[in-house]
Amino acid sequence: MNLLTMIVGNPSTGKTTSLRNLDDKTIILNYEKKELPFFSKGVVNFPMGPKDAILPKDGKRGVPAMSVKEYTSMIIDKLRGSEKIKNVIIDSFSAFTDMLLAECKAKYKGFDVFNHYNSGVYEFFQQLKSLENKFVFVISHVEYLTDADGNTVVRTKIKGREWEGLVEKEATCVLYSRYVKNEAGQGVKYQFVTNSDGYLPGKTPMDMFIQNKELYIENDLHVVIERYKDYYRLDSELKKVNQEVTV
Protein backbone atom coordinates (compact mmCIF):
# COMPACT_ATOMS: atom_id res chain seq x y z
CA MET A 1 0.00 0.00 0.00
CA ASN A 2 1.00 3.63 -0.26
CA LEU A 3 0.67 6.26 2.47
CA LEU A 4 1.20 9.83 1.32
CA THR A 5 1.54 12.44 4.05
CA MET A 6 1.83 16.21 3.70
CA ILE A 7 3.99 18.07 6.25
CA VAL A 8 3.03 21.73 6.07
CA GLY A 9 4.40 24.68 7.98
CA ASN A 10 6.42 27.87 8.16
CA PRO A 11 10.23 27.82 7.83
CA SER A 12 12.10 26.87 11.01
CA THR A 13 9.20 24.96 12.56
CA GLY A 14 10.89 21.54 12.47
CA LYS A 15 9.69 20.08 9.16
CA THR A 16 13.04 18.80 7.88
CA THR A 17 14.33 18.14 11.41
CA SER A 18 11.50 15.65 11.83
CA LEU A 19 13.54 13.29 9.59
CA ARG A 20 16.39 13.05 12.14
CA ASN A 21 15.57 9.53 13.37
CA LEU A 22 15.06 7.91 9.97
CA ASP A 23 17.66 5.44 8.69
CA ASP A 24 19.23 4.24 5.43
CA LYS A 25 15.86 3.01 4.17
CA THR A 26 15.09 6.69 3.53
CA ILE A 27 15.77 8.93 0.54
CA ILE A 28 15.22 12.69 0.49
CA LEU A 29 14.53 14.13 -2.96
CA ASN A 30 16.06 17.48 -2.09
CA TYR A 31 14.68 20.19 -4.38
CA GLU A 32 15.80 22.78 -1.85
CA LYS A 33 19.41 21.59 -2.37
CA LYS A 34 20.28 22.32 1.24
CA GLU A 35 22.30 20.44 3.84
CA LEU A 36 20.45 18.44 6.46
CA PRO A 37 20.07 20.21 9.85
CA PHE A 38 21.06 17.04 11.75
CA PHE A 39 23.59 14.19 11.69
CA SER A 40 22.20 11.59 9.29
CA LYS A 41 21.69 7.95 10.27
CA GLY A 42 22.28 6.84 6.71
CA VAL A 43 19.54 8.86 5.01
CA VAL A 44 20.26 9.45 1.30
CA ASN A 45 20.16 13.20 0.62
CA PHE A 46 19.65 13.33 -3.16
CA PRO A 47 19.75 16.76 -4.91
CA MET A 48 16.92 17.33 -7.38
CA GLY A 49 16.18 19.78 -10.16
CA PRO A 50 16.65 20.09 -13.93
CA LYS A 51 19.39 17.76 -15.16
CA ASP A 52 22.11 19.03 -17.48
CA ALA A 53 23.05 16.96 -20.52
CA ILE A 54 26.01 14.61 -20.26
CA LEU A 55 28.12 14.56 -23.41
CA PRO A 56 29.42 11.29 -24.89
CA LYS A 57 32.92 10.47 -23.62
CA ASP A 58 35.36 7.57 -23.89
CA GLY A 59 32.89 5.51 -25.90
CA LYS A 60 30.08 6.02 -23.40
CA ARG A 61 26.72 7.25 -24.62
CA GLY A 62 25.63 10.74 -23.67
CA VAL A 63 22.51 11.57 -21.67
CA PRO A 64 20.16 14.32 -22.87
CA ALA A 65 19.16 17.20 -20.61
CA MET A 66 15.97 16.66 -18.59
CA SER A 67 13.46 19.07 -17.11
CA VAL A 68 12.63 18.85 -13.40
CA LYS A 69 9.42 17.06 -14.36
CA GLU A 70 11.26 14.50 -16.52
CA TYR A 71 14.04 13.94 -13.99
CA THR A 72 11.54 13.52 -11.14
CA SER A 73 9.62 10.96 -13.18
CA MET A 74 12.81 9.01 -13.90
CA ILE A 75 13.90 8.94 -10.24
CA ILE A 76 10.45 7.87 -9.04
CA ASP A 77 10.47 5.05 -11.62
CA LYS A 78 13.76 3.83 -10.17
CA LEU A 79 12.45 4.07 -6.61
CA ARG A 80 9.41 2.02 -7.60
CA GLY A 81 11.68 -0.96 -8.12
CA SER A 82 13.79 -0.45 -4.99
CA GLU A 83 13.31 -3.05 -2.26
CA LYS A 84 15.58 -1.20 0.18
CA ILE A 85 14.02 2.27 0.14
CA LYS A 86 10.85 2.38 2.26
CA ASN A 87 10.60 6.11 3.01
CA VAL A 88 10.52 8.72 0.24
CA ILE A 89 10.74 12.38 1.28
CA ILE A 90 10.00 15.35 -0.99
CA ASP A 91 11.75 18.46 0.33
CA SER A 92 10.08 20.50 -0.74
CA PHE A 93 6.89 20.50 -2.80
CA SER A 94 7.14 24.29 -2.83
CA ALA A 95 10.58 24.21 -4.49
CA PHE A 96 9.44 21.56 -6.99
CA THR A 97 6.43 23.64 -8.10
CA ASP A 98 8.59 26.78 -8.37
CA MET A 99 10.93 24.91 -10.75
CA LEU A 100 8.01 23.41 -12.66
CA LEU A 101 6.35 26.79 -13.17
CA ALA A 102 9.63 28.40 -14.29
CA GLU A 103 10.08 25.68 -16.91
CA CYS A 104 6.49 26.07 -18.13
CA LYS A 105 6.94 29.85 -18.46
CA ALA A 106 10.12 29.33 -20.48
CA LYS A 107 8.53 26.77 -22.80
CA TYR A 108 4.93 27.91 -23.23
CA LYS A 109 2.89 31.09 -23.60
CA GLY A 110 -0.50 32.35 -22.45
CA PHE A 111 -2.95 29.83 -21.02
CA ASP A 112 -0.65 26.96 -21.96
CA VAL A 113 1.71 27.94 -19.12
CA PHE A 114 -0.69 27.04 -16.34
CA ASN A 115 -2.35 24.24 -18.29
CA HIS A 116 0.95 22.38 -18.40
CA TYR A 117 1.85 23.45 -14.85
CA ASN A 118 -1.42 22.10 -13.44
CA SER A 119 -0.98 18.86 -15.36
CA GLY A 120 2.56 18.58 -14.01
CA VAL A 121 1.34 18.89 -10.42
CA TYR A 122 -1.31 16.23 -11.03
CA GLU A 123 1.20 13.84 -12.60
CA PHE A 124 3.61 14.45 -9.71
CA PHE A 125 1.09 13.22 -7.15
CA GLN A 126 -0.02 10.30 -9.30
CA GLN A 127 3.58 9.14 -9.61
CA LEU A 128 4.12 9.38 -5.86
CA LYS A 129 0.95 7.37 -5.24
CA SER A 130 2.25 4.65 -7.54
CA LEU A 131 5.08 3.88 -5.08
CA GLU A 132 3.70 0.70 -3.53
CA ASN A 133 4.67 -0.37 -0.01
CA LYS A 134 6.43 2.87 0.81
CA PHE A 135 5.80 5.84 3.06
CA VAL A 136 5.83 9.10 1.13
CA PHE A 137 6.21 12.43 2.95
CA VAL A 138 5.80 15.69 1.04
CA ILE A 139 7.14 18.76 2.85
CA SER A 140 5.58 22.08 1.93
CA HIS A 141 5.35 25.70 2.98
CA VAL A 142 2.11 27.17 4.31
CA GLU A 143 0.07 30.20 3.35
CA TYR A 144 -2.51 32.22 5.29
CA LEU A 145 -5.53 33.80 3.63
CA THR A 146 -8.65 35.59 4.82
CA ASP A 147 -12.06 34.45 3.56
CA ALA A 148 -15.14 36.62 2.87
CA ASP A 149 -16.21 36.34 6.52
CA GLY A 150 -12.86 37.51 7.86
CA ASN A 151 -11.76 34.03 8.97
CA THR A 152 -8.14 32.94 8.55
CA VAL A 153 -7.67 30.07 6.10
CA VAL A 154 -4.50 27.99 6.47
CA ARG A 155 -3.41 25.71 3.63
CA THR A 156 -0.53 24.39 1.54
CA LYS A 157 1.13 27.13 -0.48
CA ILE A 158 0.93 26.73 -4.24
CA LYS A 159 0.92 29.03 -7.24
CA GLY A 160 -2.00 28.97 -9.66
CA ARG A 161 -5.72 28.90 -8.94
CA GLU A 162 -6.62 25.38 -10.03
CA TRP A 163 -4.83 23.72 -7.08
CA GLU A 164 -5.64 26.35 -4.44
CA GLY A 165 -7.00 24.61 -1.35
CA LEU A 166 -6.94 21.21 -3.09
CA VAL A 167 -3.41 19.95 -2.50
CA GLU A 168 -4.32 18.34 0.83
CA LYS A 169 -6.92 16.07 -0.80
CA GLU A 170 -4.06 14.10 -2.38
CA ALA A 171 -2.78 13.02 1.06
CA THR A 172 -3.96 10.41 3.55
CA CYS A 173 -2.59 12.53 6.36
CA VAL A 174 -1.69 16.21 6.74
CA LEU A 175 0.58 17.20 9.62
CA TYR A 176 1.09 20.88 10.36
CA SER A 177 4.35 21.88 12.03
CA ARG A 178 4.63 24.44 14.82
CA TYR A 179 6.72 25.33 17.84
CA VAL A 180 5.69 26.48 21.31
CA LYS A 181 7.65 27.83 24.25
CA ASN A 182 8.45 25.38 27.01
CA GLU A 183 6.42 25.82 30.16
CA ALA A 184 9.62 26.47 32.08
CA GLY A 185 10.20 29.45 29.81
CA GLN A 186 13.47 28.21 28.32
CA GLY A 187 13.67 27.06 24.72
CA VAL A 188 10.88 25.70 22.55
CA LYS A 189 9.46 22.34 21.57
CA TYR A 190 8.63 21.43 17.99
CA GLN A 191 5.36 19.66 17.30
CA PHE A 192 3.03 18.27 14.66
CA VAL A 193 -0.69 19.02 14.72
CA THR A 194 -2.47 15.72 13.98
CA ASN A 195 -6.06 17.01 13.65
CA SER A 196 -7.66 20.43 13.42
CA ASP A 197 -7.11 22.51 16.54
CA GLY A 198 -9.44 25.20 15.25
CA TYR A 199 -6.60 27.02 13.52
CA LEU A 200 -4.21 24.55 11.89
CA PRO A 201 -6.25 21.99 9.87
CA GLY A 202 -4.29 18.80 10.42
CA LYS A 203 -5.91 15.52 9.40
CA THR A 204 -5.21 11.87 10.20
CA PRO A 205 -7.39 8.74 10.06
CA MET A 206 -9.97 8.35 12.82
CA ASP A 207 -8.49 7.12 16.12
CA MET A 208 -4.92 6.95 14.81
CA PHE A 209 -4.11 9.58 17.40
CA ILE A 210 -6.10 10.09 20.61
CA GLN A 211 -7.78 13.45 20.08
CA ASN A 212 -7.65 14.75 23.66
CA LYS A 213 -4.09 13.52 24.29
CA GLU A 214 -2.29 13.54 20.94
CA LEU A 215 -3.58 16.59 19.13
CA TYR A 216 0.02 17.81 19.37
CA ILE A 217 2.87 15.30 19.07
CA GLU A 218 6.65 15.55 18.84
CA ASN A 219 7.96 16.29 15.33
CA ASP A 220 9.46 12.85 14.82
CA LEU A 221 8.59 10.96 11.63
CA HIS A 222 10.01 7.73 12.99
CA VAL A 223 7.29 7.80 15.65
CA VAL A 224 4.66 8.68 13.02
CA ILE A 225 5.75 5.77 10.80
CA GLU A 226 5.54 3.30 13.70
CA ARG A 227 2.04 4.56 14.44
CA TYR A 228 1.07 4.05 10.80
CA LYS A 229 2.38 0.47 10.90
CA ASP A 230 0.38 -0.29 14.00
CA TYR A 231 -2.82 1.40 12.80
CA TYR A 232 -2.83 -0.22 9.35
CA ARG A 233 -1.33 -3.52 10.62
CA LEU A 234 1.62 -3.51 8.24
CA ASP A 235 4.40 -6.10 8.17
CA SER A 236 8.11 -5.39 7.69
CA GLU A 237 7.55 -5.02 3.93
CA LEU A 238 4.76 -2.48 4.58
CA LYS A 239 2.11 -4.90 3.33
CA LYS A 240 -1.13 -5.37 5.22
CA VAL A 241 -1.14 -8.43 7.43
CA ASN A 242 -3.86 -10.86 6.37
CA GLN A 243 -6.77 -10.90 8.74
CA GLU A 244 -9.12 -13.81 9.11
CA VAL A 245 -12.76 -12.87 9.05
CA THR A 246 -14.99 -14.89 11.33
CA VAL A 247 -18.78 -14.98 11.06
Side-chain angles (χ1 to χ4, degrees):
M1 67 177 296
N2 171 288
L3 276 170
L4 192 152
T5 300
M6 297 289 301
I7 302 173
V8 187
N10 283 317
S12 302
T13 53
K15 299 187 300 297
T16 303
T17 309
S18 69
L19 313 176
R20 63 193 179 278
N21 289 322
L22 300 183
D23 57 17
D24 60 357
K25 297 182 179 67
T26 304
I27 185 170
I28 301 172
L29 302 188
N30 190 346
Y31 295 89
E32 301 275 353
K33 297 182 180 178
K34 62 186 180 183
E35 291 297 327
L36 298 178
F38 54 84
F39 291 107
S40 170
K41 296 182 179 180
V43 170
V44 178
N45 188 20
F46 194 83
M48 292 293 294
K51 190 71 173 176
D52 293 333
I54 299 177
L55 299 176
K57 185 178 181 180
D58 299 330
K60 295 182 180 179
R61 296 176 59 185
V63 178
M66 286 183 278
S67 67
V68 66
K69 176 182 173 182
E70 293 168 335
Y71 192 47
T72 296
S73 180
M74 185 191 79
I75 296 301
I76 291 177
D77 281 342
K78 290 185 177 181
L79 291 174
R80 193 177 292 113
S82 172
E83 295 184 0
K84 178 180 179 181
I85 297 298
K86 298 298 181 184
N87 309 314
V88 178
I89 316 295
I90 304 297
D91 192 6
S92 66
F93 175 66
S94 307
F96 166 77
T97 54
D98 284 347
M99 293 178 187
L100 178 64
L101 182 56
E103 289 180 346
C104 289
K105 286 181 176 179
K107 189 174 182 180
Y108 305 104
K109 294 182 179 180
F111 291 111
D112 284 341
V113 171
F114 275 96
N115 285 339
H116 284 86
Y117 168 77
N118 292 328
S119 296
V121 173
Y122 172 79
E123 292 169 14
F124 173 75
F125 278 114
Q126 294 307 306
Q127 288 170 338
L128 292 179
K129 290 178 180 180
S130 73
L131 293 171
E132 289 291 327
N133 305 321
K134 299 185 191 299
F135 293 110
V136 179
F137 294 93
V138 180
I139 297 174
S140 181
H141 297 157
V142 67
E143 68 177 352
Y144 303 89
L145 303 173
T146 303
D147 65 16
D149 297 321
N151 301 311
T152 299
V153 178
V154 184
R155 67 190 189 192
T156 301
K157 186 175 183 179
I158 188 169
K159 295 176 180 177
R161 293 183 177 180
E162 184 168 321
W163 282 92
E164 285 182 350
L166 298 177
V167 175
E168 290 84 355
K169 73 179 178 62
E170 301 295 330
T172 303
C173 304
V174 180
L175 302 173
Y176 275 82
S177 61
R178 71 168 202 166
Y179 64 85
V180 295
K181 291 183 178 180
N182 288 320
E183 295 179 1
Q186 295 183 345
V188 298
K189 51 186 175 184
Y190 296 90
Q191 299 175 325
F192 285 144
V193 181
T194 60
N195 286 283
S196 176
D197 63 357
Y199 181 64
L200 295 174
K203 73 168 185 177
T204 51
M206 185 180 295
D207 299 327
M208 176 178 283
F209 295 96
I210 302 171
Q211 184 78 4
N212 62 346
K213 293 182 179 180
E214 297 177 308
L215 181 58
Y216 306 108
I217 62 171
E218 183 182 2
N219 70 326
D220 187 341
L221 284 188
H222 175 72
V223 173
V224 172
I225 286 172
E226 293 304 311
R227 184 64 64 91
Y228 283 163
K229 290 179 180 178
D230 182 61
Y231 184 85
Y232 286 105
R233 299 181 182 180
L234 305 178
D235 61 18
S236 60
E237 296 301 315
L238 305 186
K239 298 178 181 179
K240 282 193 174 183
V241 177
N242 292 330
Q243 301 178 40
E244 294 184 4
V245 178
T246 58
V247 180

